[in-house]
Amino acid sequence: MRVGLYGGTFDPIHNGHVHVIEQLIGRNIVDRLLVVPAGQPRLREHEPKATGAERRQMCQLAVNSLAPEIKSKVEVNPIEVLREGPSYTIDTVEAVAQTYPDDSIVVVVGTDAYTNIDHWHRADELKKMVEFVVIDRPNFPGTPNLDVAAIAVSATQIREHHSDEVPAAVAAYIKEHNLYASK
């Protein structure tokens, strides 16, 4: 079985992320997909605006909105938001490999993240342990290795302009919890 790890800040999860999830499962690129909200992302300029618990909940709401045949193969894994201290992909991969010892681990990243792969913690070891599926990110350099027509939406746009490019349940959660409100 091919187990995909789709990590990200997901601040918030949006329709671009949902599209990638649907493509990964719908096209049988992975058999099972773990959506992993980052705990303390190390290579980001700013801390997430929403808490780890809030981002985890928004991911769960987005997954719950998927079609049943997709949803049954996707789960939100809180390993990084529950971990103390910085989150490193290799630590997550090692933990997931213990749960899926006979399966292949596939790490799903955008072209933006993949261009920095050599700066990741224990990058050389990680590259030997997993396969990378690189997804196109509009307006970011890099060459994807998977043809998924990316949707041009970003979490930054959503936080700043209250875009409607999120699943309805996520939009309701954002409104109810007054996330990303103008200061």
Side-chain angles (χ1 to χ4, degrees), residues 19-161:
H19 176 71
V20 169
I21 292 167
E22 291 169 340
Q23 292 290 305
L24 291 167
I25 297 296
R27 292 171 51 189
N28 298 313
I29 295 161
V30 296
D31 302 298
R32 179 134 197 93
L33 184 64
L34 308 180
V35 175
V36 184
Q40 293 180 10
R42 303 301 301 160
L43 296 176
R44 294 193 59 94
E45 212 173 294
H46 305 288
E47 287 291 314
K49 302 290 184 200
T51 67
E54 290 167 335
R55 292 180 291 110
R56 175 185 179 188
Q57 182 61 36
M58 287 186 282
C59 286
Q60 190 60 60
L61 291 167
V63 167
N64 290 347
S65 73
L66 295 168
E69 64 274 11
I70 304 272
K71 178 183 169 186
S72 66
K73 298 177 181 180
V74 180
E75 70 179 79
V76 176
N77 186 309
I79 187 170
E80 291 191 6
V81 294
L82 297 177
R83 184 181 291 143
E84 292 289 326
S87 293
Y88 296 111
T89 301
I90 192 154
D91 296 332
T92 302
V93 166
E94 288 173 338
V96 168
Q98 290 179 11
T99 304
Y100 298 95
D102 299 322
D103 299 317
S104 300
I105 307 288
V106 178
V107 175
V108 180
V109 294
T111 50
D112 57 331
Y114 194 73
T115 59
N116 291 321
I117 195 75
D118 291 328
H119 299 288
W120 289 21
H121 184 63
R122 295 170 49 201
D124 291 336
E125 290 175 69
L126 181 63
K127 289 176 188 177
K128 292 175 186 169
M129 296 174 66
V130 303
E131 173 189 340
F132 286 94
V133 169
V134 184
I135 305 292
D136 189 27
R137 287 279 317 267
N139 305 317
F140 286 95
T143 305
N145 67 0
L146 180 63
D147 181 25
V148 172
I151 296 174
V153 61
S154 77
T156 302
Q157 292 171 326
I158 293 166
R159 288 191 305 268
E160 292 174 358
H161 305 294

